[in-house]
């Protein structure tokens, strides 16, 4: 099990490496997706391997040695619907789509916004929920997109929040962290003025940190999807069919309410 704990912002060297890995990701899509396990192979093995970045409460996270969360429960329900057991593999967020195309897992469930760029490298399921990116700051700090102008903002590397932050405050003011804990720590300790992150992740941070944080406006909305290796049609079909079934039979609503107090499916 890999668990990243770095709390330092990424250097220029990291960023060069990231640009290279994105190129590798797009290249890997065509090179290796032929070896992705088909639905028949997955069923024969009895196990669906799911990759996630489990430091994203309430989606996937660890409590002691136990993985928990909305996407954890939903992934297990989808696997059950397919007649197999889920095996969860924890990885840094920016390794997930690359790992998928290297066939380290069959499916990725880790709150990936469905973007045209990612959709060139992997195939996305129907959205499994809808949400948005919000601003988080210390009391008195920036609350709106306009407030963010010229302010330093932290977030997790490889996420859809990166481009949104660049739009409002520019590359120079962006502070990237390998994981969310580092990005949040930078905000709490005053090293950045704000953080942009997922709406429900931010609510968790607010719950834990009481009066030390405030939530600002929603910067953008997104549809989140599960990903399979490019061209893995049989698996994608089964994942979509299973998602539709659990959404129709009440399982999805029950799981969603238990984590968010509401049903987060896209309307
Ligand atoms: N929704 C964002 C994106 O699509 C962030 C997802 C981060 N997920 C995670 N498990 N850390 O990039």
């Amino acid at each position: 099990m890999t668990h990243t704990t770095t709390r330092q912002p990424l250097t220029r060297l990291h960023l060069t490496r990231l640009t290279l890995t994105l190129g590798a990701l797009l290249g890997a899509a065509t090179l290796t997706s032929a070896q992705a396990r088909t639905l028949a192979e997955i069923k024969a093995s009895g196990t669906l391997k799911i990759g996630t970045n489990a430091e994203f409460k309430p989606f996937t996270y660890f409590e002691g040695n136990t993985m928990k969360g909305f996407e954890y429960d939903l992934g297990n329900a989808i696997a059950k619907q397919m007649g197999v057991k889920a095996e969860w593999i924890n990885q840094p967020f920016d390794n997930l789509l690359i790992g998928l195309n290297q066939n380290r897992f069959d499916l990725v469930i880790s709150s990936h916004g469905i973007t045209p760029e990612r959709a060139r490298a992997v195939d996305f399921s129907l959205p499994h929920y809808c949400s948005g990116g919000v601003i988080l700051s210390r009391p008195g700090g920036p609350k709106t997109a306009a407030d963010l102008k010229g302010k330093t903002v932290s977030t997790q590397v490889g996420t859809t929040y990166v481009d949104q932050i660049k739009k409002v405050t520019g590359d120079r003011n962006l502070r990237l962290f390998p994981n969310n804990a580092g990005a949040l720590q930078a905000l709490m300790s005053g090293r950045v003025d704000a953080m942009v992150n997922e709406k429900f992740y931010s609510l968790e941070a607010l719950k834990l940190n009481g009066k030390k944080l405030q939530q600002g406006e929603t910067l953008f909305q997104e549809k989140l999807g599960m990903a399979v290796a490019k061209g893995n049609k049989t698996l994608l079909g089964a994942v979509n069919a299973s998602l539709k079934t659990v959404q129709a039979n009440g399982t999805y609503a029950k799981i969603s309410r238990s984590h968010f107090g509401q049903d987060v499916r896209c309307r």
Side-chain angles (χ1 to χ4, degrees):
M1 194 156 45
T2 323
H3 202 72
T4 320
T5 49
T6 318
R7 302 241 159 132
Q8 295 306 312
L10 295 171
T11 61
R12 194 170 295 276
L13 188 71
H14 285 108
L15 292 176
T16 311
R17 195 184 60 110
L18 282 167
T19 317
L20 292 175
T21 48
L22 185 66
L25 166 65
L26 295 171
T30 37
L31 287 179
T32 61
S33 58
Q35 291 133 33
R37 298 202 304 165
T38 63
L39 179 63
E41 285 165 344
I42 292 163
K43 283 196 164 174
S45 79
T47 319
L48 175 69
K49 291 189 204 157
I50 310 178
T52 194
N53 173 225
E55 56 110 15
F56 204 46
K57 194 176 181 181
F59 295 97
T60 53
Y61 61 99
F62 277 100
E63 225 171 73
N65 289 327
T66 317
M67 204 188 282
K68 294 193 168 174
F70 167 69
E71 288 181 310
Y72 179 73
D73 289 346
L74 182 62
N76 287 339
I78 284 172
K80 191 171 169 201
Q81 192 59 42
M82 286 168 54
V84 292
K85 251 191 74 183
E87 178 192 325
W88 290 84
I89 300 154
N90 183 32
Q91 290 278 300
F93 184 71
D94 64 329
N95 282 3
L96 288 170
L97 300 186
I98 299 165
L100 185 61
N101 279 328
Q102 292 170 343
N103 305 310
R104 277 194 253 154
F105 12 84
D106 306 304
L107 181 67
V108 164
I109 314 184
S110 207
S111 292
H112 280 86
I114 301 174
T115 66
E117 193 191 16
R118 287 173 177 167
R120 270 188 266 134
V122 299
D123 284 339
F124 278 107
S125 69
L126 297 166
H128 62 293
Y129 76 100
C130 270
S131 187
V134 302
I135 300 166
L136 209 57
S137 60
R138 296 180 304 279
K143 286 184 93 169
T144 65
D147 293 345
L148 285 184
K149 200 154 188 270
K151 297 283 191 312
T152 52
V153 185
S154 67
T155 202
Q156 184 180 29
V157 72
T159 62
T160 47
Y161 314 124
V162 174
D163 283 344
Q164 303 294 329
I165 295 171
K166 283 185 187 168
K167 269 189 215 160
V168 289
T169 187
D171 295 36
R172 213 161 49 85
N173 294 317
L174 176 67
R175 300 289 181 272
L176 290 177
F177 291 81
N179 59 29
N180 289 301
L184 181 61
Q185 194 50 45
L187 172 63
M188 301 287 300
S189 65
R191 281 181 287 145
V192 294
D193 300 310
M195 169 173 178
V196 171
N197 214 306
E198 206 285 326
K199 181 169 78 182
F200 292 103
Y201 174 85
S202 301
L203 281 175
E204 282 296 327
L206 280 178
K207 264 196 252 165
L208 286 177
N209 296 291
K211 296 201 170 71
K212 291 188 212 130
L213 290 175
Q214 64 176 5
Q215 184 164 322
E217 88 184 359
T218 303
L219 265 193
F220 71 109
Q221 304 282 349
E222 63 179 351
K223 289 183 174 163
L224 298 301
M226 301 173 266
V228 301
K230 195 85 196 153
N232 195 349
K233 289 208 176 64
T234 53
L235 177 58
L236 188 63
V239 167
N240 280 336
S242 303
L243 175 64
K244 281 187 192 160
T245 303
V246 298
Q247 284 190 327
N249 71 12
T251 306
Y252 179 99
K254 201 170 140 205
I255 293 172
S256 179
R257 284 201 202 100
S258 79
H259 292 282
F260 309 111
Q262 59 181 280
D263 190 323
V264 293
R265 81 184 71 191
C266 300
R267 310 268 165 194

